[in-house]
Amino acid sequence: MTQEHPADPLCAFAQHDHAHCAGEVLARASAEAERRGLRFTPVRKRALEILLEAHRAMGAYEVLDRLAAEGFGNQPPVAYRALEFLVEAGLAHRVQRLNAFAACMHPGEAHAPVFLICRDCDTVAEAGAAPLRMALDQVAGDLGFSVERASFEALGLCPACRAKAAENTAEAQP
Ligand SMILES: [Zn+2]
Ligand SMILES: [Zn+2]
Ligand SMILES: [Zn+2]
């Protein structure tokens, strides 16, 4: 494990060398797929690369358009199957609120993610939700309920958009 964690949630919201960040995550995802003997076919790998191009979630049709433009076929199942594979393999996540998909920034690590979605610039950051999950298990457990799956998504403003909003408010003042 490297000292500087390119998949640090801060990364999504800060200026950074994203090519390095995406390359690192892709390498980890490939290693994980190989370790588990998954069939990481070219179309599946390409779908992950497309998701990794920016820290945001993409709809299945957006991914399909890209795959089709690159000659992977233009039938919706092409994209759906690739995305489903990625989600099932834990290499991507479904972001329910956006009805879209985001590359997992921690492939191969056991984690409960929380997605922080900027409502202004659509940036999506994946952060650790272990404390949230523990709190949820506690609340559910008190009711005799056992949680099997849970997703955590929050909508708000990222640091850059907050700064922009603050500037605009300051300018609006006389
Ligand atoms: Zn990045
Ligand atoms: Zn993840
Ligand atoms: Zn933003």
Side-chain angles (χ1 to χ4, degrees):
M1 186 74 22
T2 46
Q3 196 57 34
E4 181 198 340
H5 203 306
D8 190 293
L10 273 174
C11 171
F13 293 144
Q15 288 283 356
H16 67 289
D17 177 357
H18 183 65
H20 171 76
C21 163
E24 187 90 354
V25 173
L26 186 69
R28 269 192 232 165
S30 306
E32 176 63 11
E34 190 166 333
R35 192 180 66 76
R36 283 163 47 200
L38 303 173
R39 282 186 59 239
F40 205 21
T41 59
V43 64
R44 291 167 171 179
K45 191 166 197 164
R46 191 61 199 128
L48 183 60
E49 280 172 351
I50 291 168
L51 291 181
L52 275 170
E53 279 168 14
H55 288 275
R56 68 184 185 89
M58 284 173 106
Y61 273 91
E62 200 177 348
V63 175
L64 176 66
D65 283 347
R66 294 287 311 276
L67 289 174
E70 294 172 23
F72 282 104
N74 59 3
Q75 296 303 307
V78 173
Y80 281 116
R81 278 196 215 114
L83 291 167
E84 220 149 86
F85 164 85
L86 294 175
V87 169
E88 251 149 56
L91 305 180
H93 298 291
R94 211 180 280 272
V95 181
Q96 321 272 0
R97 175 175 277 277
L98 303 175
N99 191 20
F101 299 84
C104 175
M105 301 310 281
H106 307 271
E109 293 172 38
H111 64 292
V114 54
F115 294 101
L116 307 177
I117 305 163
C118 180
R119 62 174 162 79
D120 211 350
C121 69
D122 293 332
T123 296
V124 173
E126 179 182 352
L132 287 177
R133 181 58 201 258
M134 269 159 61
L136 176 64
D137 284 344
Q138 176 84 52
V139 169
D142 288 348
L143 299 171
F145 185 91
S146 143
V147 178
E148 290 172 351
R149 294 175 71 154
S151 54
F152 302 101
E153 299 179 358
L155 191 68
L157 278 181
C158 77
C161 293
R162 282 178 63 197
K164 238 192 292 159
E167 252 172 56
N168 289 344
T169 327
E171 268 168 28
Q173 310 278 320

